[in-house]
Amino acid sequence: MTPTTALILAAGASRRLGRPKHLVDWRGTPMLQRVIDAVAAWPVDGIALVLGAHEEEILAAIDPGDALVIINPEWEEGIASSLRAGLDAVARQGGIERAFIVLGDQPSIPPEVPAGLLEGMDDSGKPAVVPKYRYQRGNPVLIDRFLWPRLMSLEGDAGAARQEQAHPEWIHEVRVDHPPPRDVDTPEDLGDLLGGR
């Protein structure tokens, strides 16, 4: 298997929720812990976790296990700064050729999705593979090392979607027969997620 890591982005301040969303109770476990535990079962060679806002509180409440913990001092800029910090740290480790970009507030990724994305990249030869949940693209996104420098050149609150829009020829979609996984930005999002919607 091509060496692959999972890069979990969890550096945001959760301003719209009003408290650190990565620590909200998700069925008895902090949400971020739930994400880490789920990702640990994926077909990956390692996990990297990017923190920023509330880093000390988060680290006191979770067990990152063997994950490489990266502190993003520029987290206020937005998600692009976390991509830069995370991919730079993973690249410095050496040997990793692919990275899943995982959001720390999405604890409900269907377990079959990661293997499907890896298979999709092998079959298509494309440098970016995204799940298409019924009628909508979602996360996680699998990115070949070829594209890391381009993602690391992004600024502000732009994630991988900007590259997807600019270079559709690089993208392969894997269809997933599930609704798109919810993320948590507001109290309403949290209520919907915990309610199973």
Side-chain angles (χ1 to χ4, degrees), residues 37-111:
D37 294 345
V39 170
W42 292 7
V44 295
D45 299 283
I47 299 172
L49 173 64
V50 182
L51 300 177
H54 314 293
E55 61 172 283
E56 293 181 2
E57 187 178 354
I58 290 172
L59 286 172
I62 68 164
D63 176 9
D66 294 329
L68 171 67
V69 177
I70 302 150
I71 305 303
N72 173 17
E74 300 176 338
W75 61 266
E76 290 184 271
E77 177 191 329
I79 196 169
S81 66
S82 290
L83 282 170
R84 289 197 305 269
L87 290 173
D88 180 66
V90 170
R92 288 174 186 272
Q93 286 188 305
I96 299 295
E97 296 299 324
R98 298 173 175 175
F100 286 104
I101 308 300
V102 185
L103 301 184
D105 63 349
Q106 285 191 342
S108 300
I109 301 295

Coordinates of all heavy atoms in Angstrom, one line a residue, residues 37-111:
D37 N -10.2 8.3 17.2 CA -10.4 6.8 17.3 C -10.9 6.2 16.0 O -10.5 5.1 15.7 CB -11.4 6.5 18.5 CG -10.9 6.9 19.8 OD1 -9.6 7.2 20.0 OD2 -11.7 7.0 20.8
A38 N -11.8 6.9 15.3 CA -12.3 6.3 14.1 C -11.2 6.3 13.0 O -11.0 5.3 12.3 CB -13.5 7.2 13.6
V39 N -10.4 7.4 12.9 CA -9.4 7.4 11.9 C -8.3 6.4 12.2 O -7.7 5.9 11.3 CB -8.8 8.9 11.9 CG1 -7.5 8.9 11.1 CG2 -9.8 9.8 11.3
A40 N -8.1 6.1 13.5 CA -7.1 5.1 13.8 C -7.4 3.7 13.2 O -6.5 2.9 13.0 CB -6.9 5.0 15.3
A41 N -8.6 3.5 12.9 CA -9.0 2.2 12.3 C -9.0 2.2 10.7 O -9.2 1.2 10.1 CB -10.4 1.8 12.7
W42 N -8.7 3.4 10.2 CA -8.6 3.5 8.7 C -7.3 2.9 8.2 O -6.3 2.7 9.0 CB -8.5 5.0 8.3 CG -9.8 5.7 8.5 CD1 -10.9 5.3 9.2 CD2 -10.1 7.1 8.1 NE1 -11.9 6.3 9.2 CE2 -11.4 7.4 8.5 CE3 -9.3 8.0 7.4 CZ2 -12.0 8.6 8.3 CZ3 -9.9 9.3 7.2 CH2 -11.2 9.6 7.6
P43 N -7.2 2.5 6.9 CA -6.0 2.0 6.3 C -4.9 3.1 6.1 O -4.6 3.5 5.0 CB -6.5 1.4 5.0 CG -7.7 2.2 4.7 CD -8.3 2.6 5.9
V44 N -4.4 3.6 7.2 CA -3.3 4.6 7.1 C -2.1 4.2 7.9 O -2.2 3.3 8.8 CB -3.9 6.0 7.7 CG1 -5.0 6.5 6.8 CG2 -4.3 5.9 9.1
D45 N -1.0 4.8 7.6 CA 0.3 4.5 8.3 C 0.5 5.5 9.5 O 1.5 5.2 10.2 CB 1.4 4.6 7.3 CG 1.3 3.7 6.1 OD1 1.5 2.5 6.3 OD2 0.8 4.1 5.1
G46 N -0.3 6.5 9.6 CA -0.1 7.4 10.8 C -1.2 8.4 10.8 O -2.0 8.6 9.8
I47 N -1.2 9.2 11.8 CA -2.2 10.3 12.0 C -1.4 11.5 12.4 O -0.5 11.5 13.3 CB -3.2 10.0 13.1 CG1 -4.0 8.7 12.7 CG2 -4.2 11.1 13.3 CD1 -4.9 8.2 13.8
A48 N -1.8 12.7 11.8 CA -1.2 14.0 12.3 C -2.4 14.8 12.7 O -3.5 14.8 12.0 CB -0.4 14.6 11.2
L49 N -2.3 15.5 13.8 CA -3.4 16.3 14.3 C -3.0 17.7 14.5 O -2.0 18.0 15.2 CB -3.8 15.7 15.7 CG -4.8 16.5 16.6 CD1 -6.1 16.5 15.9 CD2 -4.9 15.9 18.0
V50 N -3.7 18.6 13.8 CA -3.4 20.1 13.8 C -4.3 20.8 14.8 O -5.5 20.8 14.7 CB -3.5 20.7 12.5 CG1 -3.1 22.2 12.6 CG2 -2.6 20.0 11.4
L51 N -3.7 21.4 15.9 CA -4.4 22.1 16.9 C -4.0 23.6 16.8 O -2.9 23.9 16.3 CB -4.2 21.6 18.3 CG -4.6 20.1 18.5 CD1 -4.2 19.7 19.9 CD2 -6.1 19.9 18.3
G52 N -4.8 24.4 17.4 CA -4.5 25.9 17.4 C -5.2 26.5 18.6 O -4.7 26.6 19.7
A53 N -6.4 27.0 18.4 CA -7.2 27.6 19.5 C -7.5 26.5 20.5 O -7.7 25.3 20.2 CB -8.5 28.1 18.9
H54 N -7.5 26.8 21.8 CA -7.8 25.9 22.9 C -6.9 24.7 23.0 O -7.3 23.7 23.5 CB -9.3 25.5 22.8 CG -10.3 26.6 22.5 ND1 -10.5 27.6 23.4 CD2 -11.0 26.8 21.4 CE1 -11.5 28.4 22.9 NE2 -11.8 28.0 21.7
E55 N -5.7 24.8 22.5 CA -4.9 23.6 22.4 C -4.6 23.0 23.7 O -4.7 21.7 23.8 CB -3.5 24.0 21.7 CG -2.7 25.0 22.5 CD -1.3 25.2 22.0 OE1 -0.5 24.4 22.3 OE2 -1.1 26.3 21.4
E56 N -4.4 23.8 24.8 CA -4.1 23.2 26.1 C -5.3 22.4 26.6 O -5.2 21.3 27.2 CB -3.5 24.2 27.0 CG -2.2 24.8 26.6 CD -1.7 25.8 27.6 OE1 -2.4 26.1 28.6 OE2 -0.6 26.3 27.4
E57 N -6.4 23.1 26.5 CA -7.7 22.5 27.0 C -8.0 21.2 26.2 O -8.4 20.2 26.8 CB -8.8 23.5 26.8 CG -10.1 23.0 27.4 CD -11.2 24.1 27.2 OE1 -10.9 25.2 26.8 OE2 -12.4 23.8 27.6
I58 N -7.8 21.2 24.9 CA -8.0 20.0 24.1 C -7.1 18.9 24.5 O -7.5 17.7 24.7 CB -7.9 20.3 22.6 CG1 -9.1 21.2 22.2 CG2 -7.9 19.1 21.8 CD1 -9.0 21.8 20.8
L59 N -5.8 19.2 24.6 CA -4.8 18.1 24.9 C -5.0 17.6 26.3 O -4.7 16.4 26.6 CB -3.4 18.7 24.8 CG -2.9 18.9 23.3 CD1 -1.6 19.6 23.3 CD2 -2.8 17.5 22.6
A60 N -5.6 18.4 27.2 CA -5.9 17.8 28.5 C -7.1 16.9 28.5 O -7.3 16.1 29.5 CB -6.1 19.0 29.5
A61 N -7.9 17.0 27.5 CA -9.2 16.2 27.5 C -9.2 15.0 26.6 O -10.1 14.2 26.7 CB -10.3 17.2 27.1
I62 N -8.2 14.9 25.7 CA -8.2 13.8 24.7 C -6.9 13.0 24.9 O -5.9 13.5 25.5 CB -8.3 14.3 23.3 CG1 -7.1 15.1 22.9 CG2 -9.6 15.1 23.1 CD1 -7.0 15.3 21.4
D63 N -6.9 11.9 24.2 CA -5.7 11.1 24.1 C -5.4 10.9 22.6 O -6.1 10.2 21.9 CB -5.9 9.7 24.7 CG -4.7 8.7 24.5 OD1 -3.7 9.2 24.1 OD2 -4.9 7.5 24.8
P64 N -4.4 11.7 22.2 CA -4.1 11.6 20.7 C -3.4 10.3 20.3 O -3.1 10.1 19.1 CB -3.2 12.8 20.5 CG -2.5 13.1 21.8 CD -3.5 12.7 22.9
G65 N -3.0 9.5 21.3 CA -2.4 8.2 21.0 C -1.0 8.4 20.3 O -0.2 9.3 20.8
D66 N -0.8 7.8 19.2 CA 0.5 7.9 18.5 C 0.5 9.0 17.4 O 1.4 9.2 16.7 CB 0.8 6.6 17.7 CG 1.1 5.5 18.7 OD1 1.6 5.7 19.8 OD2 0.8 4.3 18.4
A67 N -0.6 9.8 17.4 CA -0.7 10.9 16.4 C 0.4 11.9 16.6 O 0.8 12.3 17.8 CB -2.1 11.6 16.5
L68 N 0.9 12.4 15.5 CA 1.8 13.6 15.5 C 1.0 14.8 15.8 O 0.1 15.2 15.0 CB 2.6 13.7 14.2 CG 3.4 15.0 14.0 CD1 4.6 15.0 14.9 CD2 3.8 15.0 12.5
V69 N 1.2 15.5 16.9 CA 0.5 16.7 17.3 C 1.2 17.9 16.8 O 2.4 18.1 17.1 CB 0.2 16.8 18.8 CG1 -0.5 18.1 19.1 CG2 -0.6 15.6 19.3
I70 N 0.6 18.7 16.0 CA 1.1 19.9 15.4 C 0.4 21.1 15.9 O -0.9 21.2 15.8 CB 1.0 19.9 13.8 CG1 1.7 18.6 13.3 CG2 1.6 21.1 13.2 CD1 1.1 18.1 12.0
I71 N 1.1 22.1 16.4 CA 0.4 23.3 16.9 C 0.6 24.4 15.8 O 1.7 24.7 15.4 CB 1.0 23.8 18.2 CG1 1.0 22.7 19.2 CG2 0.3 25.1 18.7 CD1 -0.4 22.2 19.5
N72 N -0.6 24.9 15.3 CA -0.6 25.9 14.3 C -0.7 27.3 14.9 O -1.8 27.7 15.4 CB -1.8 25.7 13.4 CG -2.0 26.8 12.3 OD1 -1.1 27.6 12.1 ND2 -3.2 26.9 11.7
P73 N 0.4 28.1 15.0 CA 0.3 29.4 15.6 C -0.5 30.4 14.8 O -0.8 31.5 15.4 CB 1.8 29.8 15.8 CG 2.5 29.1 14.6 CD 1.7 27.8 14.5
E74 N -0.8 30.1 13.6 CA -1.5 31.1 12.7 C -2.9 30.6 12.5 O -3.5 31.0 11.5 CB -0.7 31.2 11.4 CG 0.7 31.7 11.5 CD 1.4 31.7 10.2 OE1 1.1 31.0 9.3 OE2 2.4 32.5 10.1
W75 N -3.5 29.9 13.5 CA -4.8 29.3 13.3 C -5.9 30.3 13.0 O -6.9 30.1 12.3 CB -5.2 28.5 14.5 CG -5.2 29.3 15.8 CD1 -4.2 29.4 16.7 CD2 -6.4 30.0 16.3 NE1 -4.6 30.2 17.7 CE2 -5.9 30.6 17.5 CE3 -7.6 30.3 15.9 CZ2 -6.8 31.4 18.3 CZ3 -8.5 31.1 16.6 CH2 -8.0 31.6 17.8
E76 N -5.7 31.6 13.5 CA -6.7 32.6 13.3 C -6.9 33.0 11.8 O -7.9 33.5 11.4 CB -6.4 33.9 14.1 CG -6.6 33.7 15.6 CD -6.4 34.9 16.3 OE1 -5.2 35.2 16.7 OE2 -7.3 35.6 16.6
E77 N -5.9 32.7 10.9 CA -6.0 32.9 9.5 C -7.1 32.1 8.9 O -7.8 32.5 7.9 CB -4.7 32.7 8.8 CG -4.7 32.9 7.3 CD -3.5 32.3 6.6 OE1 -2.4 32.4 7.2 OE2 -3.6 31.9 5.4
G78 N -7.3 30.9 9.3 CA -8.3 30.0 8.7 C -7.7 28.7 8.4 O -6.5 28.3 8.7
I79 N -8.5 27.9 7.7 CA -8.1 26.5 7.4 C -6.8 26.3 6.6 O -6.1 25.4 6.7 CB -9.3 25.7 6.8 CG1 -9.1 24.2 6.9 CG2 -9.5 26.2 5.3 CD1 -10.3 23.4 6.5
A80 N -6.6 27.3 5.7 CA -5.4 27.2 4.9 C -4.1 27.2 5.7 O -3.2 26.4 5.4 CB -5.3 28.4 3.9
S81 N -4.1 27.9 6.8 CA -2.9 27.9 7.7 C -2.7 26.5 8.3 O -1.6 26.0 8.5 CB -3.0 28.9 8.7 OG -4.0 28.7 9.7
S82 N -3.8 25.8 8.6 CA -3.7 24.5 9.2 C -3.2 23.5 8.1 O -2.5 22.5 8.4 CB -5.0 24.0 9.8 OG -5.3 24.8 10.9
L83 N -3.7 23.6 6.9 CA -3.2 22.8 5.8 C -1.7 23.0 5.6 O -0.9 22.0 5.5 CB -3.9 23.1 4.5 CG -5.3 22.5 4.3 CD1 -6.0 23.1 3.1 CD2 -5.3 21.0 4.2
R84 N -1.2 24.2 5.7 CA 0.2 24.5 5.5 C 1.0 23.8 6.6 O 2.0 23.1 6.4 CB 0.5 26.0 5.5 CG 0.0 26.7 4.3 CD 0.7 28.1 4.1 NE 0.5 28.9 5.3 CZ -0.5 29.8 5.4 NH1 -1.5 29.9 4.5 NH2 -0.6 30.5 6.5
A85 N 0.6 24.1 7.9 CA 1.3 23.5 9.0 C 1.3 22.0 9.0 O 2.3 21.4 9.3 CB 0.7 24.1 10.3
G86 N 0.1 21.4 8.7 CA 0.0 20.0 8.8 C 0.8 19.3 7.7 O 1.6 18.3 7.9
L87 N 0.6 19.7 6.4 CA 1.3 19.1 5.3 C 2.8 19.3 5.4 O 3.6 18.4 5.0 CB 0.8 19.6 4.0 CG -0.7 19.2 3.7 CD1 -1.2 19.9 2.4 CD2 -0.7 17.7 3.5
D88 N 3.3 20.5 5.9 CA 4.7 20.7 6.0 C 5.3 19.7 7.0 O 6.3 19.1 6.8 CB 4.9 22.2 6.5 CG 6.4 22.4 6.7 OD1 7.2 22.4 5.7 OD2 6.9 22.7 7.9
A89 N 4.6 19.5 8.2 CA 5.1 18.6 9.2 C 5.1 17.2 8.7 O 6.1 16.4 8.9 CB 4.2 18.7 10.4
V90 N 4.1 16.8 7.9 CA 4.0 15.4 7.4 C 5.1 15.2 6.3 O 5.8 14.2 6.3 CB 2.6 15.1 6.8 CG1 2.6 13.8 6.0 CG2 1.6 15.1 7.9
A91 N 5.3 16.2 5.5 CA 6.4 16.2 4.4 C 7.7 16.0 5.1 O 8.6 15.3 4.5 CB 6.3 17.4 3.5
R92 N 8.0 16.7 6.2 CA 9.3 16.6 6.9 C 9.6 15.2 7.4 O 10.7 14.9 7.6 CB 9.4 17.7 8.0 CG 9.5 19.1 7.5 CD 9.4 20.1 8.6 NE 9.4 21.5 8.2 CZ 10.4 22.2 7.9 NH1 11.6 21.7 8.1 NH2 10.3 23.4 7.5
Q93 N 8.5 14.5 7.7 CA 8.7 13.1 8.2 C 9.3 12.2 7.2 O 10.0 11.3 7.5 CB 7.4 12.6 8.7 CG 6.9 13.1 10.0 CD 5.7 12.3 10.5 OE1 4.7 12.2 9.8 NE2 5.8 11.8 11.7
G94 N 8.9 12.5 5.9 CA 9.4 11.7 4.8 C 8.7 10.4 4.7 O 8.2 9.8 5.6
G95 N 8.6 9.9 3.4 CA 8.1 8.6 3.1 C 6.6 8.6 2.9 O 6.1 7.6 2.3
I96 N 5.8 9.6 3.3 CA 4.4 9.6 3.1 C 4.1 10.2 1.7 O 4.6 11.2 1.3 CB 3.7 10.4 4.2 CG1 4.0 9.8 5.6 CG2 2.2 10.5 3.9 CD1 3.4 8.4 5.8
E97 N 3.2 9.5 1.0 CA 2.9 9.9 -0.4 C 1.5 10.4 -0.6 O 1.2 11.0 -1.6 CB 3.2 8.7 -1.4 CG 4.6 8.3 -1.4 CD 5.5 9.4 -1.9 OE1 5.1 10.1 -2.8 OE2 6.7 9.5 -1.4
R98 N 0.6 10.1 0.4 CA -0.8 10.5 0.3 C -1.3 11.0 1.7 O -0.8 10.5 2.7 CB -1.7 9.3 -0.2 CG -1.4 8.8 -1.5 CD -2.2 7.5 -1.8 NE -1.9 7.1 -3.2 CZ -2.4 6.0 -3.7 NH1 -3.2 5.2 -3.0 NH2 -2.2 5.6 -5.0
A99 N -2.2 11.9 1.7 CA -2.8 12.3 2.9 C -4.3 12.5 2.8 O -4.8 13.1 1.9 CB -2.2 13.7 3.3
F100 N -5.0 11.9 3.7 CA -6.4 12.2 3.9 C -6.5 13.5 4.6 O -5.9 13.7 5.7 CB -7.1 11.2 4.8 CG -7.4 9.9 4.1 CD1 -6.6 8.7 4.4 CD2 -8.4 9.7 3.2 CE1 -6.8 7.5 3.7 CE2 -8.7 8.5 2.5 CZ -7.9 7.4 2.8
I101 N -7.3 14.5 4.2 CA -7.6 15.7 4.9 C -9.0 15.5 5.6 O -10.0 15.3 5.0 CB -7.7 16.9 3.9 CG1 -6.5 17.0 3.0 CG2 -7.9 18.2 4.7 CD1 -5.2 17.1 3.8
V102 N -8.9 15.5 6.9 CA -10.0 15.1 7.8 C -10.4 16.3 8.6 O -9.5 16.9 9.2 CB -9.6 13.9 8.7 CG1 -10.8 13.4 9.5 CG2 -9.0 12.8 7.9
L103 N -11.7 16.5 8.8 CA -12.2 17.6 9.6 C -12.4 17.1 11.0 O -13.1 16.1 11.2 CB -13.4 18.3 9.0 CG -13.3 18.8 7.6 CD1 -14.6 19.5 7.2 CD2 -12.1 19.8 7.6
G104 N -11.9 17.8 12.0 CA -12.0 17.3 13.4 C -13.4 17.4 14.0 O -13.7 17.0 15.1
D105 N -14.4 18.0 13.2 CA -15.8 18.1 13.7 C -16.7 17.2 12.9 O -17.9 17.5 12.8 CB -16.2 19.5 13.8 CG -16.3 20.2 12.4 OD1 -15.7 19.6 11.4 OD2 -16.8 21.3 12.3
Q106 N -16.2 16.2 12.2 CA -17.0 15.3 11.5 C -16.8 13.8 12.0 O -16.0 13.1 11.5 CB -16.7 15.3 10.0 CG -17.2 16.6 9.3 CD -17.2 16.5 7.8 OE1 -16.4 15.7 7.2 NE2 -17.9 17.3 7.1
P107 N -17.5 13.5 13.1 CA -17.3 12.2 13.7 C -18.1 11.0 13.0 O -18.0 9.9 13.4 CB -17.8 12.4 15.1 CG -18.9 13.4 14.9 CD -18.4 14.3 13.9
S108 N -18.8 11.3 11.9 CA -19.7 10.3 11.3 C -19.3 9.9 9.9 O -20.2 9.7 9.1 CB -21.1 10.8 11.4 OG -21.5 11.1 12.7
I109 N -18.0 9.9 9.6 CA -17.6 9.4 8.2 C -17.9 7.9 8.1 O -17.5 7.2 9.0 CB -16.1 9.7 8.0 CG1 -15.7 11.2 8.2 CG2 -15.7 9.1 6.7 CD1 -16.3 12.1 7.1
P110 N -18.7 7.5 7.1 CA -18.9 6.1 7.0 C -17.6 5.3 6.9 O -16.7 5.7 6.2 CB -19.7 6.0 5.7 CG -20.3 7.3 5.5 CD -19.3 8.3 6.1
P111 N -17.5 4.2 7.6 CA -16.2 3.5 7.8 C -15.6 3.0 6.5 O -14.4 2.7 6.4 CB -16.5 2.4 8.8 CG -18.0 2.2 8.8 CD -18.5 3.6 8.4

